[in-house]
Amino acid sequence: MSKKKRITLRDVARQAGVSPTAVSFAYNAPHQLSQSTRERILETADELGYQPHPVARTLATGRTNTIGLVMPTGLGWVLHDPLFSLILGEIGAVCDEEKMRMLIVPAVGDVSPGMLATIAADGFVLFSIHRNHPLGKVVERTNRPLVMINGDENLRAPMFNVDDFKGAYIACQHLLEKGHRRIAVGTIAPRDDGVIIPTYERRMLGYEAAVRDAGLPPATLRPVFIRGLLSMGAESFAKIWALNPRPTAALCVSDVRALAVLNGARKAGVAVPSDLAVVGFDNLPDSAVSTPPLTTLKQDLPGRIQLALRTLFALIAEETSDDDPPPPHITPLELEVREST
């Protein structure tokens, strides 16, 4: 069976009665042609079944129509974290609307300042990068368009965060107003490399400020390192319940940790909230249907992601400049009080 001949740019030019350069302009620089000429070329290309080569088109336009989503850890965390799944979905929806592709770039292997230069993307979204993370230097030195989500506000880049400090403050204040004075804080363990995730750092500072402003001792809060996996519920709850004196409430730096604690408490026969009140952070969909429904902090996630992506696309199109990035855009949080408190 003979192989079908590949239609080339020159075939389209010959059939449309124009030069090969005009065909290239029809795809890569339409402003160089009249509307009627461009329409004739595109109609001819469609009739012949011509498809411009993606690599050649990238070389001609300098664009890949692709953004890179750079993560602070490997893919294992990315694929297990429910909040990231929501963020990924929101980013994907905006990319679909703008006909952009997305690459997930885990921070494994080479995370030197030259890392982003090896990735074929027009710009980058950096997720949860701290100034002490190796990628912090990438942010400071790269000349590629980028925005940051849940980033370190000390880094110089367009930043789109939630008000972690204020949200944590009002969550802790909620428990203090209910009379709780022995509060466990379900948080993450320090990383071996000393890197601190900025989101959780700000939340811990918010909890501590609420206790301080209430005139209570720092020992009111008892940090406990628990895993962000629902399957670790029994272990997470056991660590909190083993504290001496036993806590009457638990603040968790994420909903997934709070949901794990709820699951462990239910299996242990501990009543929530009469024996242990629990507060989460993020308002995952499961938090509204857990047993009992989880008190947590909610945000306008779609609005925040859309604003971050629109900013990135404007930088890529050179409609705006990141030479002097604006102050961080901080999305407010609202306490959603449910039966767990």
Side-chain angles (χ1 to χ4, degrees):
M1 184 175 178
S2 61
K3 186 176 180 180
K4 185 178 179 180
K5 178 180 180 293
R6 184 172 70 87
I7 302 299
T8 68
L9 179 146
R10 291 185 179 279
D11 294 327
V12 176
R14 189 180 305 111
Q15 185 73 15
V18 297
S19 69
T21 299
V23 177
S24 178
F25 281 165
Y27 288 97
N28 304 317
H31 60 281
Q32 299 279 5
L33 302 173
S34 68
Q35 183 68 21
S36 60
T37 299
R38 182 170 186 261
E39 288 177 356
R40 185 171 82 253
I41 292 171
L42 295 179
E43 287 173 3
T44 301
D46 186 57
E47 291 170 1
L48 295 176
Y50 170 71
Q51 293 291 330
H53 194 283
V55 174
R57 190 170 184 185
T58 295
L59 291 173
T61 63
R63 299 279 173 81
T64 64
N65 291 330
T66 301
I67 62 169
L69 178 56
V70 184
M71 309 306 301
T73 60
L75 282 174
W77 173 77
V78 170
L79 298 176
H80 280 98
D81 188 277
L83 177 61
F84 178 70
S85 295
L86 291 177
I87 291 173
L88 187 62
E90 295 295 342
I91 293 174
V94 179
C95 286
D96 288 346
E97 184 179 332
E98 296 294 327
K99 296 181 171 53
M100 296 285 284
R101 292 179 290 270
M102 175 176 60
L103 295 173
I104 297 178
V105 185
V108 293
D110 175 25
V111 289
S112 67
M115 168 187 160
L116 299 188
T118 67
I119 299 169
D122 299 327
F124 297 92
V125 177
L126 273 67
F127 183 80
S128 206
I129 302 300
H130 191 275
R131 60 189 175 279
N132 293 330
H133 192 284
L135 283 172
K137 292 184 173 59
V138 174
V139 176
E140 293 170 350
R141 300 181 189 180
T142 186
N143 59 359
R144 310 285 289 278
L146 61 84
V147 297
M148 300 187 71
I149 294 174
N150 291 1
D152 186 328
E153 292 166 16
N154 292 296
L155 291 171
R156 194 170 175 274
M159 193 86 56
F160 300 86
N161 294 344
V162 297
D163 197 341
D164 294 296
F165 180 92
K166 183 65 177 296
Y169 188 101
I170 62 176
C172 185
Q173 189 177 55
H174 171 67
L175 291 179
L176 295 176
E177 288 174 351
K178 287 185 169 293
H180 295 285
R181 295 297 182 266
R182 300 192 305 275
I183 303 173
V185 179
T187 186
I188 64 170
R191 287 174 42 140
D192 293 338
D193 57 9
V195 170
I196 302 170
I197 296 179
T199 296
Y200 301 134
E201 181 181 42
R202 291 190 292 264
R203 292 177 188 181
M204 194 69 208
L205 291 172
Y207 299 143
E208 292 169 349
V211 167
R212 186 169 57 250
D213 290 351
L216 296 170
T220 301
L221 300 176
R222 301 284 301 280
V224 181
F225 301 135
I226 59 178
R227 298 282 299 278
L229 295 171
L230 294 178
S231 60
M232 304 293 289
E235 177 185 315
S236 298
F237 168 76
K239 286 184 175 181
I240 287 174
W241 208 235
L243 291 173
N244 186 19
R246 182 167 285 172
T248 62
L251 289 164
C252 294
V253 295
S254 65
D255 271 3
V256 70
R257 287 173 172 79
L259 292 169
V261 170
L262 286 182
N263 187 41
R266 185 174 65 254
K267 290 181 177 178
V270 172
V272 175
S274 57
D275 294 333
L276 182 73
V278 181
V279 180
F281 208 118
D282 294 327
N283 197 32
L284 294 178
D286 285 350
S287 67
V289 295
S290 59
T291 305
L294 178 66
T295 294
T296 186
L297 288 141
K298 63 181 181 180
Q299 60 164 302
D300 178 15
L301 181 63
R304 181 162 66 107
I305 299 303
Q306 288 176 20
L307 183 58
L309 268 291
R310 302 298 178 201
T311 300
L312 178 61
F313 295 152
L315 289 171
I316 291 171
E318 298 181 347
E319 295 171 1
T320 59
S321 169
D322 59 357
D323 291 340
D324 188 18
H329 181 274
I330 306 299
T331 298
L333 293 162
E334 180 182 343
L335 188 67
E336 181 75 19
V337 179
R338 300 190 179 113
E339 285 88 331
S340 70
T341 57

